[in-house]
Structures are given as structure tokens and as C-alpha cells.
């Protein structure tokens, strides 16, 4: 069944920022494809509660096969793709001496290579529609002094470079590419990787002195995913309570 609604793909959609972004996009009237390692059932249910279509795609976004599975699903179920939010990511805090090549590669594969692979999966449909909004999730940690994140910061700086470069290559097709950098936040992943007390302590250095939540990135992502941001591309916005200053 097809309708005229725009279609958004959100990776890492089963929980945390990805779920909050998926539900917000649904609330704005978009159909949502929720990509995650396992069935994003709760996200899809919350999306459908908003009266739009939610479809789950079980995929490892760091696997090159995910390009084809995403593209096949979009073509068969919707025939279009308007928005891609590359949100899936991992952030293990590991002292550099303990970071081996396997972990280095895994972090780059999931945080950065995945964004390349997902873009390859949506680009033909975005180009044929003459419209697209790509939002890549980076992190404000790239501007902070936090030990144990060299592998992570490297991948998230890569996201910013990819965002800048890709913006140049797709502008002529009506497609914008921007990045959003959250701060340490109380998502399931955030609480598993960072002590809650550390998140609260870090918040005291922000202009807005409270810990971030999954909902705090939604407004910035919606702006960059929306039609009104068409003159903004290649940019990175830190949605972090005013911590990082460029
Ligand atoms: N929470 C924070 O403190 C924080 C701060 C800055 C940036 N970020 C970034 O925000 C993004 C989301 O973070 P979160 O806190 O919501 O994380 P989270 O761990 O709560 O959720 C991440 C989701 O991504 C999925 N995922 C992980 N690897 C995947 C893979 N290979 N293929 C498909 N799905 C995969 C997980 O299953 C999970 O559902 C990440 O890119 C992270 O680096 C988070």
C-alpha cells in the first residue's frame, strides 16, 4: 500500500535518540523505516500510533549487505525516500592502550562506514525524487577533554568530514547533508557507557545546566530534516545545552 507521505529512514531506531527521532518524524506526518540490529517493535508501534506507516528493517548497518536490503525495502514498500537520519552508533569508553585494531575498526564501521552504506541505499531514490535531507549524528565529545574516546572521536570527526564532502556532491539533486552533535545524555546507551553522575557533572559546564535526554536532539534534527532548512548544508550543529563552542 502506498500513500503520498514523505518517507524517513532512521538507523539505531530501537531506543534512545533513534526512537525519539522516529516518533517525532511520525508526528510530523512521515512514514518511518526503523533500522536496527533487532526488530524495533516498540518504535514501530509508537510510530503507527501517530497514524502513519512504520516499518522495521532488521540490519547491521556496518554490513555492506545493508545497502541492498534498505534499498530493496524502500523500493518495494514505498518507492521513495525523502529523509535519512544516520543515528546508529556505539561509544565504548576504553583507554587507548586497550584499544586493539578490532575495536578501532568496529567503532569506525558502525559509526562512520554505516553512514556511507546507508547513503548508498537511499541516494538513487532521493535523486529520482529531486529532494532529500540527510542528517548524520556526530557528538560534541570531539571538542571536549574526555579520555578513552580516541577511537570514538576519530569516527565522529569522520562523520563531520563525510557530511561536508557529501553535501558538495548531492546539492544539485536538491539534497542537503548536515550533522547534529548531542552531548552525554541519559539514553539507554548513554547510561550504559557513561556514569549517570558523570553526565550530571558534565551538565554543570553547559550553559543549560541539566543532563540531556533523548528528546533534546529532536528539534534540531526535525529542522534539518524539514523543507525549511533547504539553504543549510554541510553544517554541524551541536545540540548540547551550550557546551561545545566552535
Ligand atoms: N547518549 C549519548 O550520551 C550520546 C552523546 C553524543 C552522541 N551520541 C550518539 O547518538 C547516537 C545514538 O546514541 P544513543 O545514546 O541513542 O544510543 P543507544 O545505545 O541508546 O541506541 C543506539 C541504537 O543503535 C543500534 N545499533 C548499534 N549498532 C548497530 C548496528 N551495527 N546496526 C544497526 N543498529 C545498531 C542499537 O541496537 C540501539 O538500538 C550514536 O551515534 C551516539 O554516538 C550519543
Amino acid at each position: 500500500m502506498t500513500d503520498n507521505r514523505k518517507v524517513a529512514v532512521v538507523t539505531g531506531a530501537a531506543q534512545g535518540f533513534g526512537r525519539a527521532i522516529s516518533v517525532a518524524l511520525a508526528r510530523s506526518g512521515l512514514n518511518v523505516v526503523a533500522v536496527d540490529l533487532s526488530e524495533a517493535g516498540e518504535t514501530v508501534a509508537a510510530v503507527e500510533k501517530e497514524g502513519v506507516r512504520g516499518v522495521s528493517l532488521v540490519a547491521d548497518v556496518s554490513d555492506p549487505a545493508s545497502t541492498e536490503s534498505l534499498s530493496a525495502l524502500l523500493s518495494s514498500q514505498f518507492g521513495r525516500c525523502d529523509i535519512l537520519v544516520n543515528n546508529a552508533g556505539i561509544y565504548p569508553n576504553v583507554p587507548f592502550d586497550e584499544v586493539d585494531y578490532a575495536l578501532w575498526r568496529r567503532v569506525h564501521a558502525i559509526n562512520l562506514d554505516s553512514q556511507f552504506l546507508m547513503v548508498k541505499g537511499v541516494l538513487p531514490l532521493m535523486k529520482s525524487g529531486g529532494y532529500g535531507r540527510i542528517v548524520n549524528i556526530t557528538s560534541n565529545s570531539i571538542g571536549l577533554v574526555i579520555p578513552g574516546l580516541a577511537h570514538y572521536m576519530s569516527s565522529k570527526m569522520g562523520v563531520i568530514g563525510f557530511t561536508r564532502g557529501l553535501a558538495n556532491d548531492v546539492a544539485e539533486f536538491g539534497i542537503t547533508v548536515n550533522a547534529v552533535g548531542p552531548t552525554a545524555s541519559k539514553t539507554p546507551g548513554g547510561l550504559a557507557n557513561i556514569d549517570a553522575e558523570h553526565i550530571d557533572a558534565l551538565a554543570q559546564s553547559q550553559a543549560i545546566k541539566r543532563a540531556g535526554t533523548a528528546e533534546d536532539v529532536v528539534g534540531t534534527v526535525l529542522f534539518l530534516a524539514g523543507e525549511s532548512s533547504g539553504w543549510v548544508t554541510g553544517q554541524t550543529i551541536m545540540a548540547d545545552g551550550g557546551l561545545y563552542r566552535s
Side-chain angles (χ1 to χ4, degrees):
M1 191 181 66
T2 55
D3 56 42
N4 290 326
R5 295 182 186 281
K6 285 195 170 80
V7 174
V9 173
V10 182
T11 70
Q15 63 181 34
F17 290 132
R19 181 185 295 171
I21 292 164
S22 299
V23 174
L25 289 165
R27 201 162 288 151
S28 317
L30 281 87
N31 293 324
V32 176
V33 177
V35 185
D36 212 297
L37 286 171
S38 53
E39 201 81 30
E42 284 184 45
T43 300
V44 168
V47 161
E48 299 218 310
K49 248 180 143 175
E50 302 297 332
V52 298
R53 283 186 70 198
V55 175
S56 163
L57 175 64
V58 176
D60 175 348
V61 293
S62 67
D63 180 348
S66 63
T67 298
E68 182 49 35
S69 39
L70 176 61
S71 143
L73 181 142
L74 287 167
S75 298
S76 65
Q77 302 254 353
F78 298 102
R80 66 186 291 168
C81 183
D82 305 275
I83 292 158
L84 168 65
V85 182
N86 271 318
N87 163 76
I90 58 170
Y91 37 108
N93 188 300
V94 182
F96 187 70
D97 281 353
E98 294 167 30
V99 176
D100 59 13
Y101 184 63
L103 177 60
W104 174 267
R105 271 308 318 143
R106 195 166 108 80
V107 167
H108 283 78
I110 295 174
N111 294 358
L112 178 59
D113 299 359
S114 66
Q115 300 200 351
F116 165 83
L117 295 169
M118 293 292 96
V119 167
K120 288 285 182 183
V122 302
L123 211 48
L125 283 171
M126 283 188 178
K127 281 185 178 179
S128 65
Y131 178 88
R133 298 279 182 267
I134 297 172
V135 182
N136 298 325
I137 300 300
T138 178
S139 166
N140 76 344
S141 64
I142 55 109
L144 305 179
V145 181
I146 307 176
L149 287 183
H151 47 303
Y152 179 71
M153 291 185 193
S154 168
S155 70
K156 291 298 190 180
M157 282 301 282
V159 168
I160 293 173
F162 178 52
T163 298
R164 292 182 182 183
L166 183 63
N168 302 334
D169 285 348
V170 298
E172 67 182 290
F173 306 104
I175 302 168
T176 63
V177 190
N178 293 287
V180 174
T183 194
S185 304
K186 292 185 173 175
T187 62
L191 289 168
N193 288 288
I194 319 163
D195 290 339
E197 300 75 45
H198 183 70
I199 297 178
D200 289 325
L202 200 61
Q204 294 312 308
S205 303
Q206 295 163 196
I208 303 168
K209 301 199 186 307
R210 65 162 177 79
T213 69
E215 297 298 327
D216 285 317
V217 299
V218 162
T220 311
V221 172
L222 281 187
F223 165 64
L224 294 171
E227 289 181 19
S228 67
S229 62
W231 193 235
V232 180
T233 196
Q235 305 301 315
T236 298
I237 299 179
M238 296 300 176
D240 70 346
L243 180 52
Y244 174 94
R245 305 296 169 95
S246 52

